[in-house]
Amino acid sequence: MAYMLMLIPNMIYFIRIVPYDITLGIEVRQQSAFLPIYGGLIWSILAGIILSCLFNGSYFKLFSKEDSIRKDFIKKQAACTGITVGCLAVAGCLLDISRVHSNLRNVLDHFYYKFSDTERFLSTASTDVWRHIDMVSSYFQTAFTPDLLKMLNLIVMCLSYQAMRFLFDSRARV
């Protein structure tokens, strides 16, 4: 769920940059690099806050400086955060391996062709239509394939989620 929430800026960028209607003569805008201008650090922090409010909002309230955080809550949340950050870091490193990355891109490529129902056009399509569909497919792969930057954004989301719990969760206080 967190990964899908983090992909919202990429989805918006994908929808804005890739027109689908070939019959109207609308071509894909040429982009030298696929860098969503809506994503990044600020969205990851905001998404962590949204998830924290969604799952723990009923326990949130403001506290004074005298209220201390329970020791067992700190240990439990530190262990959970450490394991999550470690798993995301390992996943990010594994995704940098070209074989894993290319296999994942192939799976997304097949998913795109099945989902968009363009697979049947490829066998009878002209060269221009085939190039258009292939370009849209490559934008789709770039937008949705997990990579190191997306894993780092998930780590930022996890840390902002935990920070919100430490600041406002009533279950953390004595």
Side-chain angles (χ1 to χ4, degrees):
M1 182 175 177
Y3 186 72
M4 291 307 292
L5 184 63
M6 192 200 60
L7 284 180
I8 287 175
N10 289 13
M11 290 179 210
I12 292 169
Y13 188 77
F14 177 72
I15 290 168
R16 288 191 67 225
I17 200 64
V18 183
Y20 293 101
D21 198 349
I22 300 167
T23 59
L24 294 177
I26 300 173
E27 296 180 12
V28 174
R29 296 181 198 114
Q30 298 294 326
Q31 296 290 324
S32 59
F34 187 89
L35 297 172
I37 55 176
Y38 301 104
L41 180 67
I42 294 172
W43 175 253
S44 296
I45 292 171
L46 182 62
I49 292 170
I50 290 169
L51 283 176
S52 182
C53 291
L54 181 68
F55 291 121
N56 301 304
S58 61
Y59 300 105
F60 283 1
K61 58 182 167 180
L62 293 174
F63 294 98
S64 65
K65 291 183 179 181
E66 294 82 35
D67 294 332
S68 61
I69 299 175
R70 294 186 327 214
K71 300 288 184 197
D72 62 333
F73 184 82
I74 292 173
K75 289 178 186 176
K76 186 172 136 184
Q77 293 306 315
C80 181
T81 303
I83 290 170
T84 304
V85 168
C87 289
L88 289 173
V90 168
C93 291
L94 285 176
L95 289 170
D96 271 352
I97 298 172
S98 61
R99 184 173 179 180
V100 173
H101 190 59
S102 65
N103 287 339
L104 189 58
R105 286 183 69 95
N106 287 338
V107 168
L108 280 173
D109 193 34
H110 291 302
F111 175 77
Y112 172 76
Y113 287 131
K114 293 288 185 192
F115 180 70
S116 65
D117 200 28
T118 55
E119 188 174 38
R120 62 188 170 112
F121 292 125
L122 289 179
S123 61
T124 60
S126 69
T127 306
D128 291 337
V129 173
W130 185 84
R131 276 194 211 131
H132 182 86
I133 291 171
D134 189 51
M135 189 178 298
V136 173
S137 171
S138 69
Y139 280 128
F140 178 82
Q141 289 174 12
T142 307
F144 296 101
T145 302
D147 58 6
L148 185 61
L149 180 61
K150 290 179 181 119
M151 292 300 114
L152 291 174
N153 283 338
L154 279 175
I155 290 173
V156 168
M157 188 185 299
C158 172
L159 293 176
S160 63
Y161 176 89
Q162 292 298 346
M164 287 292 291
R165 291 207 53 205
F166 275 112
L167 291 175
F168 300 112
D169 199 338
S170 62
R171 296 172 292 183
R173 306 298 172 174
V174 175

